[in-house]
Amino acid sequence: MTLFRSTTRIPKEKIDHIRKLYIAGPINRSNAAKEVGVAVNTVMAYVHMFRKIERDHPGKIHDFDFYPTIKQKEVYNFKREIAISLFPSLMADEIPRRITAKYLFEKYHVIEPHGYNYHTFLKYYNEWIRSNETLSGISKYQVYLTKEDLATLKTWRKSDDHRHWKIAVILDAAANNKPLTEIGKKVECSHTSILKWIELFKTKGLDGLARERPLRHGQDKQIKDKIDNLVHLVQQSPKNYGIDSPTWMFKDLKVVFTREYGIPISESRISVYFKRRGLRFKKSKVSLSSPDPLYKQKFAEIQRILETLGEKEKFFSIDEYGPCAIRPKGGNVLSMPAERPMFKEIYKSRGWFICTCALELSTNQITHFYSLTKNTAEMIKLLDILSLQYKDQDKIYLSWDAASWHSSKKLVAHVECVNSDDYRNVNHTPLVALAPLPSSSQYLNVIESVFSGLAKSVIHNSDYESVDECKSAIDRYFIKRNNYYLENPKRAGNRIWGKERVKPVFDKANLCKMPGSW
């Protein structure tokens, strides 16, 4: 007996039972599956095998010990072979009219009630149609485009008119003799509309397709009023409408516009209206590099730590934000065409501060405090805060840039002190390890990404009255950010909360720091 190779293994008694039902006459696969206690697909697989025995080995069907070797692919592709063999007969009386796959599937389902479902049938039907170009019917719909037509269609494909985009895609596909089914699937358009547009192009050219849909009475005025109201909003401060942000964003404009004017509007529609008025966001680019001769070694060591970071270990990206002076600030803002946003230049500030921050990469939590200096004492203060805040951990890593106060003898001595057995036994603090960054590589410091987001959300286009007001805004920013990642725990890099420029993930390609942020 040659073993029958199949992923479906059933006892020989059940196989013999199916064989007896097959020999007895036309087999009802559903009833046979229930009677034997197997799946319908399993019954169909063995029915196919018995058909193969009758065809290739006459007289062996009654030999219950004979089983040919059948490749797995042959067992599970028999439905596809049956369907493809039926396509010519299904289409025999459909050639004079437009062929619809739905109608052919209904005819197929009558012949093969246990065959493919509609979506699988449609997949193999389309493959078969594409392999038989004479049956695709696309040749009689082929169009010929002049250079002027191609230039116009190129403009239509880049426009924000969805109807023009559809027509451009359809005519381009028809010119390249592609199947109508493929065109309709791409543009999500009915077969009737495709035929109508192709016929209209043949008779009247692009002029017949370029007509705009007439606006309803008064609709043009409504659109103009919407644009005027949006422009009026962006010329005001978001804080006037309860938005805790120094500049407008589309999501905020959507909420405020709907609330103020009682008319719902989408962010995409706001973008279209702004493009019509010429409003744009503008941003510059920057390139940074590190001259550190030990760059590769330091970078590889940090990557090794992050790849093997344990559940009871934390990695902190540390840096100082500032000094930040309290005076009017500039930044990216929506503006009218040929208009330059202006802010008063005040030389005397209302005060200043430095914000020292630590970003824990595995939980995306920020720890921060304010000071007026950048020195070793502030780093020792931060180290002690983190040691007490994460007492339940076994080890914490501190990563910062190559500033002098980050590698002073006093700081190294303090690290040795907090790592001593006597200190840890008394204070129950974790082991502290340092992972310094290469020199002049602030673009590797993940906390810089958060700083850039903080600057865009709180500092840019601001004019705070006092240091305390600015600190309160920063505190609210960090509280919202920390709460978000407490409710949605994710490791740094999967998703960033707020408006950080790039994901807070240790990546040599990141440009986390944006020049001019402070």
Side-chain angles (χ1 to χ4, degrees), residues 411-461:
L411 179 60
V412 174
H414 186 73
V415 172
E416 293 177 355
C417 177
V418 298
N419 284 339
S420 64
D421 294 338
D422 295 338
Y423 183 94
R424 295 185 63 197
N425 291 335
V426 173
N427 297 281
H428 305 288
T429 56
L431 193 67
V432 178
L434 303 183
L437 291 169
S439 61
S440 302
S441 61
Q442 61 269 36
Y443 52 93
L444 292 179
N445 204 354
V446 181
I447 190 69
E448 295 285 2
S449 175
V450 181
F451 286 169
S452 293
L454 170 68
K456 289 184 64 178
S457 298
V458 180
I459 304 300
H460 288 182
N461 300 295

Side-chain angles (χ1 to χ4, degrees), residues 310-513:
E311 294 182 357
K312 300 287 288 184
E313 296 177 348
K314 294 292 182 286
F315 189 99
F316 295 90
S317 177
I318 299 171
D319 205 356
E320 300 87 7
Y321 181 87
C324 182
I326 306 304
R327 59 162 63 100
K329 302 283 186 179
N332 290 337
V333 61
L334 284 170
S335 59
M336 300 296 293
E339 177 181 306
R340 173 70 65 180
M342 306 291 290
F343 65 94
K344 295 180 180 179
E345 183 176 6
I346 299 177
Y347 293 97
K348 185 177 180 180
S349 68
R350 304 183 183 99
W352 59 279
F353 66 92
I354 296 171
C355 182
T356 303
C357 301
L359 170 65
E360 205 294 298
L361 298 189
S362 64
T363 58
N364 267 319
Q365 295 297 297
I366 293 286
T367 301
H368 74 289
F369 64 88
Y370 304 96
S371 64
L372 296 177
T373 58
K374 294 182 180 181
N375 54 29
T376 300
E378 301 302 328
M379 292 298 99
I380 292 176
K381 178 181 176 181
L382 178 62
L383 190 154
D384 293 337
I385 291 174
L386 295 177
S387 296
L388 294 176
Q389 185 178 353
Y390 292 87
K391 293 178 66 173
D392 58 333
Q393 302 298 309
D394 295 334
K395 190 175 185 179
I396 61 175
Y397 294 90
L398 307 184
S399 178
W400 40 42
D401 56 31
S404 59
W405 56 88
H406 291 163
S407 57
S408 64
K409 294 180 181 180
K410 186 177 179 181
L411 179 60
V412 174
H414 186 73
V415 172
E416 293 177 355
C417 177
V418 298
N419 284 339
S420 64
D421 294 338
D422 295 338
Y423 183 94
R424 295 185 63 197
N425 291 335
V426 173
N427 297 281
H428 305 288
T429 56
L431 193 67
V432 178
L434 303 183
L437 291 169
S439 61
S440 302
S441 61
Q442 61 269 36
Y443 52 93
L444 292 179
N445 204 354
V446 181
I447 190 69
E448 295 285 2
S449 175
V450 181
F451 286 169
S452 293
L454 170 68
K456 289 184 64 178
S457 298
V458 180
I459 304 300
H460 288 182
N461 300 295
S462 66
D463 188 9
Y464 295 106
E465 294 296 330
S466 65
V467 174
D468 291 337
E469 184 180 354
C470 183
K471 288 181 179 179
S472 298
I474 293 175
D475 291 339
R476 289 194 298 271
Y477 179 88
F478 284 145
I479 289 172
K480 289 180 181 179
R481 190 183 189 284
N482 287 345
N483 289 339
Y484 174 83
Y485 280 107
L486 286 176
E487 296 172 0
N488 305 272
K490 288 186 178 180
R491 298 178 71 90
N494 292 335
R495 183 180 178 185
I496 189 64
W497 182 91
K499 303 171 185 175
E500 280 83 348
R501 293 182 66 246
V502 296
K503 295 180 179 180
V505 59
F506 190 84
D507 186 353
K508 62 182 179 182
N510 270 358
L511 293 176
C512 302
K513 183 177 180 180

Side-chain angles (χ1 to χ4, degrees), residues 156-173:
W156 285 11
R157 291 194 73 154
K158 294 181 179 180
S159 71
D160 56 2
D161 189 318
H162 194 56
R163 177 177 174 273
H164 280 176
W165 175 82
K166 285 185 176 182
I167 293 174
V169 174
I170 290 170
L171 293 181
D172 179 69

